[in-house]
Amino acid sequence: MVTTNPIPRFPAGFLWGVSTSAHQIEGAVEAREPSVWDVFTDGPGRVRDGSTAAVACDHVHRYREDVALLADLGVDAYRFSVSWPRVRAKGGLDFYDRLVDELCAAGVRPVPTLFHWDLPAGLDWLERDTARRFAEYVAEVAGRLGDRVTKWTTLNEPAEHTLLGHALGVHAPGRNLLFDALPVAHHQLLAHGLAVRALRAAGADDIGIANSHGPTWPASDDEADRAAAGFYGLLLNRLFADPLLLGHYPDGIGELMPGDVEQDLKVIAEPLDWYGVNYYAPTRVGAPQGTEIDFGGVRMPADLPFSVREIEGYPVTDFGWPVVPEALTELLTAFRARYGDRLPPVVITENGCAYDGLDDRDRITYLDGHLRALHRAVEAGVDVRGYFVWSLMDNFEWAEGYARRFGLIHVDFATQERTPKASYDWYRKLLREQHDR
Ligand code: GBH
């Protein structure tokens, strides 16, 4: 239930925003080179409703209307992503130039993410050279937008891109490499480090990354379940965070990575100005069960050293993900305890839920609960500087197509009509209260 108590006030200067990503909203497929997602969705059976992101929210043609909605919402900042395949196409950077101008004119701070899963087709994260090429592209974008963009995000959720795209094959590029996907993690981390250097060289002093994290709860107190949950937690919460924040991989992992790992770790651990956390739900994990399981809509193979179980006793979203606000407090206080002063200020770069309908009270309940949980983490000493709702508007939800709606704004994909939902009005009012007091 949504209580009537106001959400406690967040610290002065707290950055309130919403997030989207290029492939999920932009459309205008003809004005970009193909990405691995364009190739992937052209294949049969990859997306639940058989859809593609060729048009999506047609944002490339409707960005003015979308920026007006952002301005009316009253956010301080807008987190979007820059599509590398679009930048490679003729005139591609011009679009981001116009978008950034429009945002600045509307008083909304642009916070671009430089990679949100839409790798140019033909490039491959199994190849080390992709990291170098990423840094070149980042330098080009920074050269063009750096006079107006000050806050940068390098990568979005390299963990999910590795796991879903390269280990399990349910996302592009659709590989089923299981643990042979580890070089994909290393090369993305290297790309991140090289991008940080390229951004610093261009004068940037406000750089972060957005990683997906969540508490991992053992299915029982049995040793086998606890070990499996610990291992899953290591993959989700440490495989990327340890090298970024501590400069080394968790024990035993560095040996599995390609190249001169010691040298690379110096690049990967370039200091960050803030650390982005995308949080949705905790995960219940037990020992392998020898069967396929359904993991939030994803079929997990049995030959993994863990199995993902259902979390009972909580409401679930349309995606089947449990709604557990207190797990956000748990996650952030555990992060602070683990990384101590090595953890830079935290920004929640994504948080949200899939629900249908314009009168989306369930989304309001979700967001309200998570903001209270976030505030408890602040009270417990975690330095949190911002919060971004996923997502501004309904969009192409990857392997789920258009069947899962995360937006504060409803999109009718037949007409492209945008309609603010009840949650939009609720967030708008919250932002006014937070800014006024
Ligand atoms: C993000 O990934 C992406 O950055 C964004 O593009 C996407 O649209 C958004 O989330 C919504 O999906 O089955 O209960 O254990 C989120 C990655 C992976 C987080 C699956 C939740 C399953 C939770 N998600 N995970 S559960």
Side-chain angles (χ1 to χ4, degrees):
M1 267 313 283
V2 183
T3 71
T4 47
N5 299 338
I7 290 172
R9 195 194 178 163
F10 279 80
F14 196 83
L15 204 61
W16 293 96
V18 286
S19 292
T20 62
S21 94
H23 189 77
Q24 293 176 273
I25 67 165
E26 282 181 356
V29 66
E30 68 289 345
R32 65 174 183 237
E33 290 190 1
S35 78
V36 294
W37 266 96
D38 292 312
V39 174
F40 183 74
T41 51
D42 279 348
R46 259 80 184 263
V47 176
R48 183 190 288 258
D49 56 7
S51 61
T52 75
V55 177
C57 306
D58 197 29
H59 171 71
V60 163
H61 300 116
R62 294 166 198 266
Y63 70 95
R64 286 199 181 85
E65 179 183 354
D66 295 335
V67 172
L69 284 161
L70 282 163
D72 174 64
L73 181 55
V75 287
D76 304 306
Y78 172 49
R79 175 174 174 254
F80 59 99
S81 82
V82 176
S83 156
W84 186 358
R86 189 176 304 283
V87 168
R88 295 200 339 163
K90 197 167 175 305
L93 253 179
D94 296 346
F95 167 66
Y96 298 105
D97 205 57
R98 290 194 295 272
L99 174 62
V100 164
D101 275 347
E102 191 79 11
L103 287 164
C104 292
V108 177
R109 195 163 167 200
V111 184
T113 298
L114 291 153
F115 177 70
H116 197 126
W117 304 353
D118 49 352
L119 190 72
L123 293 186
D124 187 341
W125 284 119
L126 282 172
E127 309 277 341
R128 182 184 176 86
D129 197 46
T130 302
R132 185 188 60 78
R133 297 175 75 152
F134 178 69
E136 279 176 11
Y137 142 77
V138 168
E140 188 188 349
V141 176
R144 183 72 178 270
L145 306 180
D147 56 337
R148 287 150 293 156
V149 170
T150 55
K151 200 175 187 71
W152 297 92
T153 311
T154 56
L155 309 180
N156 180 72
E157 300 189 353
E160 305 295 343
H161 190 55
T162 306
L163 177 78
L164 301 175
H166 297 77
L168 301 179
V170 293
H171 278 188
R175 287 208 178 96
N176 296 283
L177 296 171
L178 297 179
F179 284 96
D180 291 336
L182 281 174
V184 168
H186 185 71
H187 293 149
Q188 284 179 91
L189 282 167
L190 181 61
H192 157 83
L194 293 171
V196 172
R197 288 187 174 176
L199 289 167
R200 296 266 183 242
D205 62 359
D206 196 359
I207 307 173
I209 183 168
N211 274 319
S212 134
H213 294 299
T216 305
W217 295 345
S220 80
D221 264 347
D222 291 355
E223 188 45 41
D225 285 336
R226 288 165 39 140
F231 183 69
Y232 185 89
L234 183 145
L235 292 180
L236 184 62
N237 296 323
R238 292 183 49 200
L239 176 60
F240 294 85
D242 279 15
L244 289 165
L245 301 176
L246 305 177
H248 58 75
Y249 279 108
D251 281 352
I253 303 273
E255 292 86 303
L256 304 174
M257 294 305 195
D260 187 343
V261 175
E262 282 311 307
Q263 269 312 111
D264 292 349
L265 282 165
K266 297 199 177 88
V267 181
I268 291 167
E270 282 288 342
L272 289 172
D273 301 300
W274 52 276
Y275 189 89
V277 171
N278 293 359
Y279 171 76
Y280 288 87
T283 314
R284 175 90 65 203
V285 178
Q289 285 178 310
T291 48
E292 269 208 336
I293 56 96
D294 184 78
F295 172 60
V298 171
R299 303 299 301 174
M300 280 272 211
D303 45 351
L304 286 170
F306 50 78
S307 61
V308 175
R309 313 285 176 82
E310 216 165 296
I311 291 186
E312 278 156 31
Y314 294 91
V316 294
T317 69
D318 285 356
F319 226 136
W321 303 349
V323 179
V324 192
E326 58 271 27
L328 177 57
T329 319
E330 178 189 330
L331 171 74
L332 294 177
T333 51
F335 239 74
R336 167 74 196 163
R338 173 163 176 75
Y339 295 106
D341 292 338
R342 310 291 287 269
L343 180 66
V346 169
V347 175
I348 304 301
T349 32
E350 286 180 26
N351 178 235
C353 49
Y355 288 113
D356 264 356
L358 286 172
D359 188 16
D360 55 344
R361 285 173 225 197
D362 288 335
R363 185 172 347 268
I364 296 173
T365 303
Y366 180 99
L367 298 174
D368 177 279
H370 283 79
L371 281 168
R372 289 171 200 278
L374 183 62
H375 198 270
R376 281 193 287 278
V378 172
E379 284 169 345
V382 185
D383 183 2
V384 186
R385 304 277 181 95
Y387 175 87
F388 290 70
V389 173
W390 182 272
S391 178
L392 170 66
M393 56 188 161
D394 297 339
N395 57 47
F396 178 73
E397 178 50 37
W398 307 114
E400 302 290 317
Y402 297 98
R404 297 282 178 257
R405 294 177 175 271
F406 279 86
L408 298 178
I409 298 170
H410 179 271
V411 178
D412 178 335
F413 293 102
T415 62
Q416 292 297 341
E417 190 186 347
R418 275 85 163 129
T419 310
K421 304 180 188 178
S423 58
Y424 176 100
D425 296 334
W426 172 86
Y427 196 46
R428 188 170 183 269
K429 183 160 164 282
L430 171 77
L431 299 186
R432 292 211 168 153
E433 286 167 6
Q434 292 280 335
H435 286 136
D436 276 2
R437 273 180 296 154

